[in-house]
Amino acid sequence: MKKAKTFLTIITMLFLSTIVCGAFEQTVKADDLPVICLGTSLTETQKSGTLKTLSNPLSGSSYQTMTITGADLVKYLNPSGANFTTQSGVWSSAMIEKTAAGNGINVHILDYNGHNNITTITADQYKNAALTAGISDANIYVTSAVPIDGSGALAGVYAAYSKTGENLNQSQVNAAQDEMNTLSKITKENKDKDGYSDAQLNNAVAGAKQEMGQIGNNVSDSQIHDIVTNQININHLGDVINNNQKQQIINVLIEVRDSGALKNHKFKDQADALSKNIKKNAKGIFDKINTPENRNWLEQIWHNITAFFSHLFSGLMAIQY
């Protein structure tokens, strides 16, 4: 009888501990629920359609919602030079979903009722901006019920990310917005040019960030200049990007450094993951430019550079001798 009571007590304790652990696990998951940000200017029909569009990738999983207003645009975007007011309309909407460490930043622009209404900003531009702003390991989905450039969509992402308990540095947000505007402008200027794609440009920027992250926050202006030049050539944009555009990229990456983004120990790895993500999603483009002939051409350039410095140092040693 005593054994039976002991056995019953053990079973009861196990049962209760399972319930308690389950409740605790649910609480933890609730804290990490994806956040859907809805533009305040949406009609009820548009709001319903936007919720359906953005929640579809979750396959029925739970999420939380928040409304993005003109005040959010003022808070996150005006410091970078925008001129929003608290009465400004907001239509573009977004969802952010935290992922496991090492997954990097993934951005998907979703069609609304069969139409891509984000008219200007590309997924890769959003990715680079999110990285600069300090976001890491997240899936981001963007959509709009009406045609719009999409420049304000990240305000919702910034606000949502803050809601998950991750505070963003405003200097980094400013740099992110300037970067997104700069890359968007360069892509617009080079639209339909042979040998150019937005993926190549954004991969060059992601690669530059990764190199900057390796050096650290003390990377100099001249080093950033050399890094950008190297990445432009690696991505076969040397004959497309003009000197003015190149300087704009350098300036924006100097701003990224000055914002403190490189102080984050995750920055380098997130930039590396971003570059791999861009190349994976634009495999056709990068397979085309990374041919054996092109690789041999780059190897020859590297050989010439190393040979030059080898001869230079040999000459210096001979003089000293």
Side-chain angles (χ1 to χ4, degrees):
M1 184 65 135
K2 194 181 249 185
K3 287 183 179 179
K5 284 184 178 179
T6 302
F7 180 75
L8 183 60
T9 301
I10 292 171
I11 291 297
T12 303
M13 289 176 67
L14 286 171
F15 178 72
L16 290 173
S17 66
T18 301
I19 293 174
V20 172
C21 288
F24 178 75
E25 186 177 334
Q26 283 185 329
T27 302
V28 173
K29 286 182 179 177
D31 291 340
D32 288 332
L33 284 177
V35 182
I36 293 179
C37 315
L38 298 171
T40 189
S41 304
L42 297 171
T43 66
E44 288 303 314
T45 300
Q46 291 172 338
K47 190 180 295 184
S48 175
T50 301
L51 267 176
K52 182 180 179 182
T53 300
L54 289 174
S55 64
N56 188 55
L58 298 175
S59 302
S61 298
S62 299
Y63 57 87
Q64 50 188 321
T65 62
M66 63 185 297
T67 301
I68 301 302
T69 67
D72 294 302
L73 301 183
V74 170
K75 177 180 178 180
Y76 291 105
L77 306 186
N78 277 15
S80 64
N83 296 304
F84 293 106
T85 71
T86 55
Q87 304 304 312
S88 294
V90 187
W91 288 270
S92 55
S93 304
M95 177 180 74
I96 184 166
E97 175 187 27
K98 283 187 172 182
T99 60
N103 282 347
I105 300 166
N106 298 279
V107 176
H108 308 272
I109 297 177
L110 304 179
D111 287 352
Y112 182 90
N113 287 342
H115 299 283
N116 176 8
N117 287 328
I118 303 297
T119 60
T120 305
I121 309 300
T122 68
D124 288 336
Q125 290 165 19
Y126 279 124
K127 291 172 189 175
N128 259 314
L131 169 62
T132 295
I135 294 171
S136 61
D137 299 316
N139 290 330
I140 297 172
Y141 299 85
V142 179
T143 194
S144 178
V146 299
I148 203 160
D149 70 347
S151 60
L154 271 182
V157 174
Y158 300 148
Y161 200 67
S162 297
K163 189 171 183 178
T164 65
E166 304 281 354
N167 292 321
L168 296 176
N169 180 314
Q170 186 61 50
S171 294
Q172 288 180 238
V173 172
N174 295 349
Q177 290 300 123
D178 288 341
E179 176 187 331
M180 188 167 66
N181 292 335
T182 296
L183 299 189
S184 175
K185 180 185 174 186
I186 292 174
T187 284
K188 186 177 181 180
E189 290 171 348
N190 290 291
K191 186 179 179 182
D192 300 328
K193 280 189 180 179
D194 288 340
Y196 179 86
S197 71
D198 184 72
Q200 288 166 263
L201 174 64
N202 278 276
N203 189 56
V205 171
K209 289 177 180 177
Q210 198 270 342
E211 287 192 57
M212 289 165 61
Q214 282 184 320
I215 297 171
N217 198 58
N218 61 344
V219 60
S220 67
D221 290 5
S222 62
Q223 284 176 311
I224 293 175
H225 177 280
D226 293 342
I227 286 170
V228 169
T229 300
N230 179 50
Q231 286 295 329
I232 285 174
N233 289 330
I234 286 175
N235 285 276
H236 297 274
L237 292 173
D239 295 331
V240 183
I241 298 294
N242 61 42
N243 288 334
N244 181 48
Q245 292 166 343
K246 177 181 169 182
Q247 189 59 52
Q248 289 176 44
I249 297 169
I250 292 168
N251 291 345
V252 95
L253 288 176
I254 288 173
E255 185 182 359
V256 170
R257 178 203 62 195
D258 293 345
S259 74
L262 300 181
K263 293 178 182 178
N264 188 332
H265 69 279
K266 294 181 181 179
F267 187 86
K268 178 176 71 68
D269 291 338
Q270 291 291 308
D272 184 49
L274 177 53
S275 176
K276 289 175 181 174
N277 177 282
I278 291 172
K279 284 186 280 192
K280 178 182 176 183
N281 290 335
K283 193 172 184 298
I285 293 172
F286 288 98
D287 282 350
K288 186 176 180 180
I289 66 175
N290 289 328
T291 61
E293 292 80 8
N294 286 335
R295 283 197 298 272
N296 290 338
W297 175 73
L298 287 170
E299 287 168 3
Q300 185 60 45
I301 290 177
W302 180 248
H303 172 76
N304 291 338
I305 291 172
T306 54
F308 169 78
F309 282 106
S310 176
H311 289 307
L312 177 65
F313 288 122
S314 296
L316 287 173
M317 290 177 68
I319 292 170
Q320 289 176 344
Y321 180 78

